[in-house]
């Protein structure tokens, strides 16, 4: 059996995530402690006891989700399952950083600081209310790209997330995204809805954030991952640190090619994908992309033990 480990992105956050892991596994608790120290604040208190609106702020959600994923990875390691049980790692948007930390490419402290910087830069790139994102359900990537191009009308509107065969997210100027919603409905979309996000991620409007991340990434050491990363913007495997560094910058404005990434792993013989961290959103996407790939969510001590017994 060939398996991959994948790591969730924004939207998976919940109050209390990872707390049971930290209580059950000292190595998982150590991850939260390390992230708290790296950021100079008790992010763990916000994650476990705070307000969901504050946790959902991009600058908090990104390092928080990474911490929860890495805590789950450390719990697996405590039960004898390390990263080399996987043939590939991948992550959805910010999850790509979690994947790289899990694979030993980035240190946990550097990853926490990079994600705090990334969250702040992405929020600051576009004034609140200027940008938007919308999910187009029932259209494939080609059709959604056509919708985005028609809706742009001199503004930015891009297909940002190719999540699965029937779910594509568009991103850009608010007026253009609103036009895309109406155009999509006329082109047979089952649903087209604006998303409750604070900024238009993964489009050209994020270029200021990409510039910030280029500078931030220049200051950190990136090692070759212990298993190859299936990169968001390429949808194929990379393990060269210099390439990874450039792709992490490109990722800020580029499309998350999740459907193609899962299809790539399936074509390489991956038969099982474990979602490491909060939620099960990626597992649902994976099943819609390739029904032959089995999925497993690992986000609680019970999940860890079940994975050990499998």
């Amino acid at each position: 059996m060939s398996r991959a480990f994948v790591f969730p992105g924004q939207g998976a956050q919940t109050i209390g995530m990872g707390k049971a892991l930290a209580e059950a596994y000292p190595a998982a608790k150590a991850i939260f402690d390390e992230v708290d120290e790296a950021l100079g604040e008790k992010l763990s208190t916000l994650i476990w006891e705070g307000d969901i609106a504050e946790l959902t702020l991009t600058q908090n959600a990104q390092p928080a989700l990474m911490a929860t994923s890495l805590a789950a990875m450390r719990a697996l390691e405590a039960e004898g399952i390390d990263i080399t049980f996987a043939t590939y790692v991948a992550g959805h948007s910010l999850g790509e950083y979690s994947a790289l930390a899990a694979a030993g490419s980035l240190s946990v402290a550097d990853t926490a600081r990079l994600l705090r910087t990334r969250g702040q830069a992405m929020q600051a790139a576009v004034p609140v209310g200027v940008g938007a994102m919308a999910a187009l359900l029932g259209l494939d990537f080609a059709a959604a790209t056509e919708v985005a191009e028609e809706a742009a009308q001199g503004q930015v509107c891009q297909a940002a997330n190719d999540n699965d065969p029937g779910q594509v997210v568009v991103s850009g100027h608010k007026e253009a995204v609103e036009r895309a919603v109406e155009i999509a409905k006329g082109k047979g979309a089952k649903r087209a809805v604006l998303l409750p996000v604070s900024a238009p991620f993964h489009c050209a409007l994020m270029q200021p954030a990409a510039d910030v991340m280029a500078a931030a990434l220049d200051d950190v050491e990136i090692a070759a991952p212990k298993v190859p990363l299936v990169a968001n913007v390429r949808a194929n495997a990379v393990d060269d640190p210099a390439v990874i560094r450039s792709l992490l910058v490109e990722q800020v404005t580029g499309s998350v090619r999740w459907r193609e990434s899962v299809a790539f792993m399936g074509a390489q013989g991956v038969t099982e994908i474990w979602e490491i961290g909060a939620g099960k959103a990626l597992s649902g996407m994976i099943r819609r992309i390739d029904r032959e790939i089995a999925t497993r969510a690992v986000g609680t001590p019970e999940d860890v033990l079940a994975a050990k017994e499998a």
Side-chain angles (χ1 to χ4, degrees), residues 15-16 32 36 41-51 55:
I15 295 298
F32 289 103
D36 286 350
E41 65 181 68
K42 278 282 193 178
L43 184 65
S44 58
T45 302
L46 172 60
I47 297 169
W48 296 336
E49 304 168 14
D51 176 68
L55 180 61

Side-chain angles (χ1 to χ4, degrees), residues 11-43:
Q13 66 274 1
T14 58
I15 295 298
M17 63 183 183
K19 187 175 183 181
L21 288 168
E23 291 170 345
Y25 294 95
K29 172 70 162 54
I31 288 290
F32 289 103
D33 292 342
E34 190 172 353
V35 169
D36 286 350
E37 184 175 351
L39 297 179
E41 65 181 68
K42 278 282 193 178
L43 184 65

Side-chain angles (χ1 to χ4, degrees), residues 10 53 56-59 61-62 119 122-133 195-201 206:
Q10 243 170 289
T56 298
L57 292 174
T58 302
Q59 67 190 49
Q62 295 199 21
M122 291 172 88
Q123 188 61 65
V126 181
V128 174
V130 171
M133 300 180 79
L195 297 175
V197 295
S198 56
F201 306 129
M206 286 287 113

